[in-house]
Amino acid sequence: MSHSYGEIALVTGASRGIGAATARQLAAQGYVVCVNYQARKDAALAVVQSIADAGGRAFAVQADISQEEEVLQLFASIDDVGLPLTRLVNNAGILFKQSKLVDMTADRINRVLLANVTGSLLCAREAVKRMARSNGGKGGSIVNVSSGASRLGSPNEYVDYAASKGAVDTFTIGLSKEVAGEGIRVNGVRPGLIHTDIHADGGEPNRIDRLQDKIPMQRGGRPDEVAASICFLLSDASSFTTGSIIDVSGGI
Ligand code: NAP
């Protein structure tokens, strides 16, 4: 897809997991990829290096997307590159240790909502400013990474996280209608159980082993399988699709 040379794709939370796989696939398609990360600089630089080794172009930018000032600095770093931003993947997301709502503090709930909802909204806001045709932009495409949790609710594990992903689904639909006339498409993917580090953050690294019998396809997914659906929704192959959400969950 040579059309993407000279355009920037931002992937938030691209140092590991689904974000890293997405960054690699976008770089292979010719995008100059901004690999955002929060804390793990070494992991982010390893993703950038693997992209360079494969002949692609990428750069890493540290920013906590839950903090507005840091989001503004992230986008300022992208502006400094001097190429148009035409793709955003709102991938960064967090969850905390499995527990029932009765044991959750306000601090925990707010941290989840800040990162998963406010952070994604702020990144989308800054991307829309730059992509909007009425603002001199080239148009573009945004993919929000939600979760099957938004459909299933994650009882006894993290209803706070599930609720945050419900908000992501809803703003995907609303924003898609708001910016369609600006040449910007907004879609979502809802991963199911995917082999990444996030399950260890929930206190159960082997969570997929426990649950995979309940998945119709009888296995967990790979980050690159989610990345492929993200890249489809970002690409012109889905040029008449906006406000849609693809489940990438093996049938659950
Ligand atoms: P992961 O392996 O835990 O990686 C999380 C990534 O997000 C890391 O790159 C991390 O950066 C970054 N990050 C976390 N908080 C951030 C913040 N405030 N600002 C910027 N970056 C931040 O996660 P994953 O499993 O790939 O999940 C990616 C997305 O898919 C999330 O939105 C998650 O909710 C969703 N999802 C995952 C699954 C699954 O089964 N894995 C299922 C459904 C949905 P550092 O490396 O610097 O810490």
Side-chain angles (χ1 to χ4, degrees), residues 12-19 36-41 43 63-66 90-95 115-116 145-149 161 165 190-199 201 207-208:
T12 65
S15 46
R16 293 182 283 133
I18 292 166
N36 161 252
Y37 67 99
Q38 180 178 27
R40 296 185 204 205
K41 185 176 184 179
D64 176 351
I65 53 103
S66 70
N90 265 324
N91 167 76
I94 57 168
L95 51 73
N116 298 1
V145 180
S146 172
S147 170
Y161 170 82
K165 295 301 189 176
R190 279 191 291 239
L193 293 158
I194 311 300
H195 289 283
T196 73
D197 298 340
I198 204 167
H199 308 290
D201 295 339
R207 178 167 173 259
I208 296 179

Short mmCIF file of all heavy atoms in Angstrom, two decimals, residues 12-19 36-41 43 63-66 90-95 115-116 145-149 161 165 190-199 201 207-208, ligand 1:
data_model
loop_
_atom_site.label_atom_id
_atom_site.label_comp_id
_atom_site.label_asym_id
_atom_site.label_seq_id
_atom_site.Cartn_x
_atom_site.Cartn_y
_atom_site.Cartn_z
N THR A 12 -1.31 4.46 20.21
CA THR A 12 -1.05 4.67 21.64
C THR A 12 -0.84 3.30 22.31
O THR A 12 -1.42 2.29 21.89
CB THR A 12 -2.21 5.42 22.34
OG1 THR A 12 -3.39 4.61 22.31
CG2 THR A 12 -2.47 6.76 21.67
N GLY A 13 0.04 3.27 23.30
CA GLY A 13 0.34 2.01 23.99
C GLY A 13 0.91 0.98 23.03
O GLY A 13 0.47 -0.17 23.01
N ALA A 14 1.93 1.40 22.26
CA ALA A 14 2.46 0.52 21.21
C ALA A 14 3.75 -0.17 21.62
O ALA A 14 4.40 -0.82 20.79
CB ALA A 14 2.68 1.32 19.93
N SER A 15 4.12 -0.08 22.89
CA SER A 15 5.37 -0.73 23.32
C SER A 15 5.20 -2.23 23.53
O SER A 15 6.18 -2.97 23.55
CB SER A 15 5.87 -0.08 24.61
OG SER A 15 4.81 0.08 25.53
N ARG A 16 3.94 -2.67 23.68
CA ARG A 16 3.70 -4.09 23.97
C ARG A 16 2.38 -4.53 23.36
O ARG A 16 1.57 -3.72 22.92
CB ARG A 16 3.64 -4.32 25.49
CG ARG A 16 4.96 -4.09 26.18
CD ARG A 16 4.89 -4.37 27.66
NE ARG A 16 4.24 -3.31 28.40
CZ ARG A 16 3.29 -3.49 29.32
NH1 ARG A 16 2.88 -4.72 29.61
NH2 ARG A 16 2.75 -2.47 29.95
N GLY A 17 2.15 -5.84 23.36
CA GLY A 17 0.84 -6.40 23.07
C GLY A 17 0.24 -6.01 21.72
O GLY A 17 0.92 -5.98 20.69
N ILE A 18 -1.07 -5.72 21.76
CA ILE A 18 -1.82 -5.43 20.54
C ILE A 18 -1.27 -4.18 19.85
O ILE A 18 -1.17 -4.12 18.62
CB ILE A 18 -3.31 -5.26 20.90
CG1 ILE A 18 -3.89 -6.60 21.36
CG2 ILE A 18 -4.10 -4.71 19.71
CD1 ILE A 18 -5.25 -6.49 22.07
N GLY A 19 -0.89 -3.18 20.64
CA GLY A 19 -0.36 -1.94 20.06
C GLY A 19 0.93 -2.17 19.30
O GLY A 19 1.13 -1.64 18.20
N ASN A 36 3.74 5.28 20.73
CA ASN A 36 3.57 5.89 22.06
C ASN A 36 3.69 4.83 23.14
O ASN A 36 3.31 3.68 22.94
CB ASN A 36 2.19 6.57 22.13
CG ASN A 36 1.75 6.82 23.57
OD1 ASN A 36 0.84 6.15 24.06
ND2 ASN A 36 2.39 7.74 24.26
N TYR A 37 4.22 5.25 24.28
CA TYR A 37 4.29 4.35 25.44
C TYR A 37 4.20 5.19 26.69
O TYR A 37 4.35 6.42 26.64
CB TYR A 37 5.61 3.54 25.42
CG TYR A 37 6.84 4.38 25.64
CD1 TYR A 37 7.46 4.47 26.89
CD2 TYR A 37 7.38 5.13 24.59
CE1 TYR A 37 8.57 5.27 27.09
CE2 TYR A 37 8.49 5.93 24.79
CZ TYR A 37 9.08 5.99 26.03
OH TYR A 37 10.17 6.80 26.23
N GLN A 38 3.96 4.52 27.81
CA GLN A 38 3.85 5.26 29.07
C GLN A 38 5.13 5.18 29.88
O GLN A 38 5.65 6.20 30.31
CB GLN A 38 2.70 4.72 29.92
CG GLN A 38 2.56 5.47 31.24
CD GLN A 38 1.40 4.99 32.08
OE1 GLN A 38 0.99 3.83 31.98
NE2 GLN A 38 0.86 5.85 32.88
N ALA A 39 5.65 3.98 30.11
CA ALA A 39 6.77 3.80 31.04
C ALA A 39 7.91 2.96 30.47
O ALA A 39 9.07 3.20 30.81
CB ALA A 39 6.26 3.16 32.33
N ARG A 40 7.58 1.98 29.64
CA ARG A 40 8.61 0.99 29.24
C ARG A 40 9.34 1.44 27.98
O ARG A 40 9.07 0.95 26.88
CB ARG A 40 7.97 -0.37 29.07
CG ARG A 40 7.42 -0.82 30.41
CD ARG A 40 6.87 -2.20 30.36
NE ARG A 40 5.91 -2.30 31.46
CZ ARG A 40 5.55 -3.41 32.05
NH1 ARG A 40 6.06 -4.54 31.67
NH2 ARG A 40 4.67 -3.40 33.02
N LYS A 41 10.29 2.35 28.21
CA LYS A 41 11.05 2.91 27.08
C LYS A 41 11.78 1.83 26.30
O LYS A 41 11.80 1.85 25.07
CB LYS A 41 12.05 3.95 27.62
CG LYS A 41 12.80 4.68 26.54
CD LYS A 41 13.70 5.75 27.15
CE LYS A 41 14.38 6.54 26.05
NZ LYS A 41 15.24 7.60 26.62
N ALA A 43 11.05 -1.27 25.86
CA ALA A 43 10.13 -2.04 25.00
C ALA A 43 9.73 -1.23 23.78
O ALA A 43 9.67 -1.75 22.66
CB ALA A 43 8.89 -2.45 25.81
N ALA A 63 4.36 9.34 26.59
CA ALA A 63 3.29 10.22 27.06
C ALA A 63 2.25 9.37 27.79
O ALA A 63 1.86 8.32 27.29
CB ALA A 63 2.62 10.96 25.90
N ASP A 64 1.83 9.85 28.94
CA ASP A 64 0.70 9.23 29.65
C ASP A 64 -0.56 9.86 29.06
O ASP A 64 -0.85 11.04 29.32
CB ASP A 64 0.83 9.52 31.15
CG ASP A 64 -0.36 9.00 31.95
OD1 ASP A 64 -1.37 8.57 31.35
OD2 ASP A 64 -0.28 9.04 33.19
N ILE A 65 -1.31 9.07 28.29
CA ILE A 65 -2.43 9.66 27.55
C ILE A 65 -3.60 10.03 28.47
O ILE A 65 -4.56 10.65 28.02
CB ILE A 65 -2.91 8.75 26.39
CG1 ILE A 65 -3.20 7.31 26.87
CG2 ILE A 65 -1.90 8.75 25.26
CD1 ILE A 65 -4.63 6.99 27.02
N SER A 66 -3.51 9.68 29.75
CA SER A 66 -4.57 10.09 30.67
C SER A 66 -4.37 11.53 31.14
O SER A 66 -5.22 12.09 31.83
CB SER A 66 -4.65 9.14 31.86
OG SER A 66 -3.53 9.28 32.69
N ASN A 90 -6.39 4.30 19.01
CA ASN A 90 -6.55 4.51 20.46
C ASN A 90 -6.49 3.14 21.13
O ASN A 90 -7.52 2.52 21.40
CB ASN A 90 -7.89 5.18 20.75
CG ASN A 90 -7.79 6.67 20.87
OD1 ASN A 90 -6.80 7.20 21.40
ND2 ASN A 90 -8.81 7.37 20.38
N ASN A 91 -5.27 2.68 21.36
CA ASN A 91 -5.08 1.31 21.86
C ASN A 91 -4.75 1.26 23.35
O ASN A 91 -5.13 0.30 24.02
CB ASN A 91 -3.95 0.64 21.07
CG ASN A 91 -3.49 -0.64 21.72
OD1 ASN A 91 -4.16 -1.68 21.65
ND2 ASN A 91 -2.34 -0.59 22.40
N ALA A 92 -4.05 2.26 23.88
CA ALA A 92 -3.62 2.21 25.29
C ALA A 92 -4.84 2.00 26.18
O ALA A 92 -5.86 2.66 26.04
CB ALA A 92 -2.90 3.50 25.66
N GLY A 93 -4.71 1.06 27.09
CA GLY A 93 -5.82 0.80 28.01
C GLY A 93 -5.30 0.02 29.20
O GLY A 93 -4.28 -0.67 29.11
N ILE A 94 -5.98 0.18 30.33
CA ILE A 94 -5.52 -0.47 31.56
C ILE A 94 -6.68 -1.13 32.29
O ILE A 94 -7.85 -0.79 32.10
CB ILE A 94 -4.84 0.53 32.54
CG1 ILE A 94 -5.80 1.69 32.90
CG2 ILE A 94 -3.54 1.04 31.95
CD1 ILE A 94 -5.29 2.54 34.06
N LEU A 95 -6.31 -2.09 33.12
CA LEU A 95 -7.25 -2.64 34.10
C LEU A 95 -6.45 -2.97 35.35
O LEU A 95 -5.21 -3.02 35.32
CB LEU A 95 -7.98 -3.88 33.54
CG LEU A 95 -7.18 -5.00 32.92
CD1 LEU A 95 -6.42 -5.85 33.94
CD2 LEU A 95 -8.12 -5.91 32.12
N ALA A 115 -7.68 6.80 31.94
CA ALA A 115 -6.82 6.23 30.90
C ALA A 115 -7.65 5.75 29.70
O ALA A 115 -7.34 6.06 28.55
CB ALA A 115 -5.99 5.08 31.47
N ASN A 116 -8.70 4.99 29.98
CA ASN A 116 -9.41 4.31 28.89
C ASN A 116 -10.40 5.22 28.17
O ASN A 116 -10.60 5.07 26.96
CB ASN A 116 -10.15 3.08 29.42
CG ASN A 116 -9.20 2.04 30.00
OD1 ASN A 116 -7.98 2.24 30.02
ND2 ASN A 116 -9.73 0.94 30.48
N VAL A 145 -9.74 0.89 20.33
CA VAL A 145 -9.67 -0.48 20.80
C VAL A 145 -10.51 -0.59 22.07
O VAL A 145 -10.18 -0.05 23.12
CB VAL A 145 -8.22 -0.92 21.06
CG1 VAL A 145 -8.19 -2.38 21.55
CG2 VAL A 145 -7.39 -0.78 19.78
N SER A 146 -11.63 -1.27 21.92
CA SER A 146 -12.56 -1.49 23.02
C SER A 146 -12.26 -2.85 23.63
O SER A 146 -11.10 -3.25 23.77
CB SER A 146 -13.99 -1.39 22.46
OG SER A 146 -14.94 -1.77 23.42
N SER A 147 -13.29 -3.61 23.96
CA SER A 147 -13.11 -4.95 24.52
C SER A 147 -14.44 -5.68 24.48
O SER A 147 -15.51 -5.06 24.62
CB SER A 147 -12.64 -4.86 25.97
OG SER A 147 -12.67 -6.14 26.58
N GLY A 148 -14.37 -6.99 24.36
CA GLY A 148 -15.57 -7.81 24.54
C GLY A 148 -16.20 -7.57 25.90
O GLY A 148 -17.39 -7.83 26.10
N ALA A 149 -15.41 -7.03 26.82
CA ALA A 149 -15.93 -6.71 28.16
C ALA A 149 -17.11 -5.75 28.08
O ALA A 149 -17.99 -5.77 28.95
CB ALA A 149 -14.82 -6.11 29.03
N TYR A 161 -13.60 -1.52 34.31
CA TYR A 161 -12.96 -1.63 32.99
C TYR A 161 -14.02 -1.86 31.91
O TYR A 161 -14.00 -1.21 30.86
CB TYR A 161 -11.97 -2.79 33.04
CG TYR A 161 -11.39 -3.22 31.70
CD1 TYR A 161 -10.32 -2.53 31.14
CD2 TYR A 161 -11.87 -4.35 31.04
CE1 TYR A 161 -9.78 -2.94 29.93
CE2 TYR A 161 -11.34 -4.76 29.84
CZ TYR A 161 -10.29 -4.07 29.29
OH TYR A 161 -9.76 -4.47 28.09
N LYS A 165 -15.03 0.52 28.60
CA LYS A 165 -15.05 0.09 27.20
C LYS A 165 -16.44 0.32 26.58
O LYS A 165 -16.56 0.54 25.38
CB LYS A 165 -14.62 -1.36 27.09
CG LYS A 165 -13.17 -1.59 27.51
CD LYS A 165 -12.18 -0.77 26.67
CE LYS A 165 -10.73 -1.16 26.95
NZ LYS A 165 -9.78 -0.45 26.08
N ARG A 190 -13.33 -4.90 19.14
CA ARG A 190 -13.51 -5.45 20.49
C ARG A 190 -12.76 -6.76 20.57
O ARG A 190 -13.28 -7.81 20.20
CB ARG A 190 -15.00 -5.69 20.77
CG ARG A 190 -15.77 -4.45 21.18
CD ARG A 190 -17.15 -4.78 21.70
NE ARG A 190 -17.98 -5.26 20.62
CZ ARG A 190 -19.13 -4.71 20.23
NH1 ARG A 190 -19.58 -3.63 20.85
NH2 ARG A 190 -19.83 -5.21 19.26
N PRO A 191 -11.51 -6.75 21.08
CA PRO A 191 -10.79 -8.01 21.25
C PRO A 191 -11.46 -8.84 22.34
O PRO A 191 -12.05 -8.32 23.29
CB PRO A 191 -9.39 -7.58 21.70
CG PRO A 191 -9.29 -6.12 21.39
CD PRO A 191 -10.69 -5.59 21.47
N GLY A 192 -11.32 -10.17 22.20
CA GLY A 192 -11.71 -11.08 23.26
C GLY A 192 -10.50 -11.37 24.12
O GLY A 192 -9.79 -10.45 24.54
N LEU A 193 -10.24 -12.65 24.37
CA LEU A 193 -9.09 -13.02 25.21
C LEU A 193 -7.85 -13.15 24.33
O LEU A 193 -7.73 -14.09 23.54
CB LEU A 193 -9.39 -14.34 25.91
CG LEU A 193 -10.51 -14.27 26.96
CD1 LEU A 193 -11.10 -15.64 27.22
CD2 LEU A 193 -9.97 -13.66 28.24
N ILE A 194 -6.94 -12.20 24.48
CA ILE A 194 -5.76 -12.13 23.62
C ILE A 194 -4.51 -12.32 24.49
O ILE A 194 -4.42 -11.77 25.60
CB ILE A 194 -5.68 -10.76 22.91
CG1 ILE A 194 -7.03 -10.40 22.24
CG2 ILE A 194 -4.54 -10.75 21.89
CD1 ILE A 194 -7.54 -11.36 21.19
N HIS A 195 -3.56 -13.06 23.99
CA HIS A 195 -2.33 -13.34 24.75
C HIS A 195 -1.44 -12.09 24.83
O HIS A 195 -0.69 -11.79 23.91
CB HIS A 195 -1.56 -14.50 24.09
CG HIS A 195 -2.23 -15.82 24.25
ND1 HIS A 195 -2.20 -16.54 25.42
CD2 HIS A 195 -2.98 -16.54 23.39
CE1 HIS A 195 -2.88 -17.67 25.28
NE2 HIS A 195 -3.37 -17.70 24.04
N THR A 196 -1.58 -11.36 25.94
CA THR A 196 -0.72 -10.20 26.21
C THR A 196 -0.48 -10.13 27.72
O THR A 196 -1.03 -10.92 28.49
CB THR A 196 -1.37 -8.86 25.77
OG1 THR A 196 -2.42 -8.54 26.70
CG2 THR A 196 -1.93 -8.92 24.36
N ASP A 197 0.29 -9.09 28.11
CA ASP A 197 0.62 -8.91 29.54
C ASP A 197 -0.56 -8.45 30.38
O ASP A 197 -0.48 -8.45 31.61
CB ASP A 197 1.72 -7.85 29.68
CG ASP A 197 3.01 -8.24 29.01
OD1 ASP A 197 3.21 -9.44 28.75
OD2 ASP A 197 3.83 -7.33 28.74
N ILE A 198 -1.65 -7.99 29.74
CA ILE A 198 -2.70 -7.29 30.50
C ILE A 198 -3.33 -8.19 31.56
O ILE A 198 -3.78 -7.71 32.60
CB ILE A 198 -3.77 -6.71 29.53
CG1 ILE A 198 -4.52 -5.52 30.18
CG2 ILE A 198 -4.76 -7.77 29.07
CD1 ILE A 198 -5.36 -4.70 29.22
N HIS A 199 -3.35 -9.50 31.31
CA HIS A 199 -4.00 -10.42 32.26
C HIS A 199 -3.21 -10.50 33.57
O HIS A 199 -3.79 -10.71 34.64
CB HIS A 199 -4.18 -11.79 31.62
CG HIS A 199 -4.87 -11.70 30.29
ND1 HIS A 199 -6.20 -11.36 30.16
CD2 HIS A 199 -4.40 -11.83 29.01
CE1 HIS A 199 -6.53 -11.30 28.88
NE2 HIS A 199 -5.45 -11.58 28.16
N ASP A 201 -1.78 -7.93 34.86
CA ASP A 201 -2.21 -6.73 35.61
C ASP A 201 -3.50 -7.00 36.38
O ASP A 201 -3.75 -6.38 37.41
CB ASP A 201 -2.43 -5.55 34.65
CG ASP A 201 -1.16 -5.11 33.97
OD1 ASP A 201 -0.07 -5.40 34.50
OD2 ASP A 201 -1.24 -4.47 32.90
N ARG A 207 -5.03 -16.35 32.82
CA ARG A 207 -6.49 -16.24 32.75
C ARG A 207 -7.06 -16.93 31.50
O ARG A 207 -8.12 -17.55 31.55
CB ARG A 207 -6.87 -14.76 32.74
CG ARG A 207 -8.35 -14.47 32.63
CD ARG A 207 -8.61 -13.00 32.94
NE ARG A 207 -9.98 -12.64 32.68
CZ ARG A 207 -10.38 -11.99 31.59
NH1 ARG A 207 -9.50 -11.63 30.68
NH2 ARG A 207 -11.65 -11.69 31.42
N ILE A 208 -6.34 -16.85 30.40
CA ILE A 208 -6.86 -17.45 29.16
C ILE A 208 -6.93 -18.97 29.29
O ILE A 208 -7.89 -19.60 28.81
CB ILE A 208 -6.01 -17.02 27.94
CG1 ILE A 208 -6.14 -15.50 27.74
CG2 ILE A 208 -6.45 -17.77 26.68
CD1 ILE A 208 -5.33 -14.94 26.59
P1 NAP B 1 -0.73 -4.56 27.41
O1 NAP B 1 -0.01 -5.71 26.82
O2 NAP B 1 -0.95 -4.48 28.88
O3 NAP B 1 -0.03 -3.22 26.91
C1 NAP B 1 -0.55 -1.99 27.33
C2 NAP B 1 0.11 -0.88 26.53
O4 NAP B 1 -0.53 0.36 26.87
C3 NAP B 1 1.56 -0.71 26.85
O5 NAP B 1 2.21 -0.30 25.67
C4 NAP B 1 1.56 0.42 27.89
O6 NAP B 1 2.78 1.16 27.90
C5 NAP B 1 0.45 1.27 27.35
N1 NAP B 1 -0.20 2.16 28.30
C6 NAP B 1 -0.89 1.83 29.42
N2 NAP B 1 -1.35 2.95 30.00
C7 NAP B 1 -0.97 3.98 29.24
C8 NAP B 1 -1.11 5.38 29.35
N3 NAP B 1 -1.78 5.95 30.37
N4 NAP B 1 -0.55 6.17 28.39
C9 NAP B 1 0.11 5.60 27.35
N5 NAP B 1 0.29 4.29 27.21
C10 NAP B 1 -0.23 3.50 28.14
O7 NAP B 1 -2.20 -4.39 26.75
P2 NAP B 1 -2.93 -5.17 25.55
O8 NAP B 1 -3.50 -6.43 26.09
O9 NAP B 1 -2.11 -5.17 24.32
O10 NAP B 1 -4.18 -4.18 25.38
C11 NAP B 1 -4.25 -3.19 24.37
C12 NAP B 1 -5.69 -2.73 24.29
O11 NAP B 1 -6.51 -3.85 24.00
C13 NAP B 1 -6.23 -2.15 25.61
O12 NAP B 1 -7.07 -1.05 25.32
C14 NAP B 1 -7.03 -3.29 26.20
O13 NAP B 1 -8.05 -2.84 27.04
C15 NAP B 1 -7.57 -3.93 24.94
N6 NAP B 1 -7.97 -5.32 25.12
C16 NAP B 1 -7.07 -6.30 25.40
C17 NAP B 1 -7.52 -7.61 25.56
C18 NAP B 1 -6.60 -8.76 25.87
O14 NAP B 1 -7.10 -9.89 26.13
N7 NAP B 1 -5.29 -8.56 25.85
C19 NAP B 1 -8.89 -7.90 25.45
C20 NAP B 1 -9.77 -6.88 25.18
C21 NAP B 1 -9.31 -5.58 25.00
P3 NAP B 1 4.09 0.65 28.79
O15 NAP B 1 4.64 -0.56 28.06
O16 NAP B 1 5.01 1.83 28.73
O17 NAP B 1 3.59 0.31 30.16
#
